[in-house]
Amino acid sequence: MTKEKDLYIGCHLSSADGFEAMGKNALSIDANTFAFFTRNPRGGKAKEIDPEDAVKLLGILEENSFGKLVAHAPYTLNPCSKDAKVRNFAHMAMADDMERMEYLPGNYYNFHPGSHVGQGIETGIELICGLLNEILTKEQTTTVLLETMAGKGSEVGGRFEELAKIIEGTSLDEKLGVCLDTCHVSDAGHDIINDLDGVLDEFDTVVGLDRLRALHINDSMNPPGARKDRHAKIGEGHLGTETILKVINHPKLKGLPCILETPHKDLAGYGKEIAMLRKGTEG
Ligand code: FE
Ligand code: FE
Ligand code: ZN
């Protein structure tokens, strides 16, 4: 087994060639965690899982001391849509994903809480809790993560209080955690550029830092509070490399899997970013 690294970092990887291929691709860019879509991010069709392929990936993860993986639900999944058909899709997809995730036991499954589309935040939160209360099971080994959102349009999850309420309204809350997205929190108006400690304190008071299980590491094309949600490469946005390094080096965030969702066109781009951030966490 290789030596465990201080920083768990990776990016979104394509699942087109299966699980083992993702593991190999991760290794090729010095990643020791990664994210992947459980099904087509825009559609919803899920491929059959090949159990042997999953076992091969588990071997790679173990052999190379990977941190936890952070799977991502499809973007089209909106548990608090006005449209019953869309809500039913969210239900079907998430219940199915929970079963599929058990081929890679003990990892994370991140989702966007959704957009309430004019029904109001309270109704939105109720619908999200309704879904979680139906699909989460005591037996599952997956922890479901609520992603902190930019607060664009009628998105739920831009304020920490909203995430806290979802957790409060879910009976199996031990299966829930939070994934903090640096672009989203900044866009939502949390000042991680000048007051990261203050933002983490607020998160701790409102949600509890023990709920924080993963980080999405992105720069933002827009200034704090813009509520736009446009990711930039690290160092090419309003957050800057310095802020990102402060986040990944923060003692309270140490050990959390860091997932890059920066707009690179190929693996090599991510490889460079990973090398740059690993360098920034040495010494
Ligand atoms: Fe996301
Ligand atoms: Fe994200
Ligand atoms: Zn985003």
Side-chain angles (χ1 to χ4, degrees), residues 68-243:
K68 290 202 186 282
L69 307 184
V70 191
H72 200 302
Y75 292 135
T76 45
L77 192 145
N78 184 8
C80 54
S81 168
K82 230 178 188 160
D83 183 346
K85 250 201 240 146
V86 176
R87 292 201 304 269
N88 289 340
F89 168 73
H91 188 123
M92 180 283 290
M94 216 190 219
D96 186 43
D97 282 349
M98 287 303 104
E99 286 180 26
R100 299 161 63 82
M101 286 296 293
E102 291 302 323
Y103 286 92
L104 304 171
N107 286 295
Y108 296 142
Y109 175 83
N110 172 74
F111 81 109
H112 297 177
S115 294
H116 65 70
V117 281
Q119 303 174 96
I121 201 84
E122 298 297 328
T123 305
I125 290 171
E126 257 171 53
L127 288 168
I128 296 161
C129 294
L131 170 95
L132 292 170
N133 282 327
E134 279 185 51
I135 62 121
L136 295 180
T137 62
K138 263 206 190 87
E139 295 72 31
Q140 73 181 61
T141 63
T142 303
T143 302
V144 173
L145 306 185
L146 308 162
E147 182 165 350
T148 61
M149 299 309 292
K152 188 172 88 182
S154 67
E155 264 175 6
V156 180
R159 297 174 62 240
F160 296 155
E161 284 80 3
E162 295 163 10
L163 301 174
K165 276 195 190 150
I166 297 171
I167 294 168
E168 224 178 78
T170 303
S171 352
L172 282 173
D173 71 305
E174 70 266 28
K175 303 293 181 190
L176 286 184
V178 173
C179 171
L180 185 144
D181 184 311
T182 53
C183 166
H184 296 179
V185 284
S186 173
D187 272 33
H190 304 282
D191 187 2
I192 59 169
I193 301 172
N194 301 299
D195 189 20
L196 177 60
D197 283 321
V199 174
L200 293 179
D201 281 349
E202 189 200 334
F203 186 93
D204 195 27
T205 307
V206 178
V207 182
L209 272 174
D210 55 327
R211 290 280 179 191
L212 190 52
R213 302 296 166 79
L215 304 170
H216 281 174
I217 300 296
N218 304 305
D219 211 324
S220 175
M221 290 214 215
N222 294 288
R227 294 173 166 259
K228 287 269 174 46
D229 189 5
R230 304 272 318 274
H231 301 188
K233 294 174 189 163
I234 307 304
E236 294 186 12
H238 285 259
L239 296 178
T241 308
E242 202 190 317
T243 298

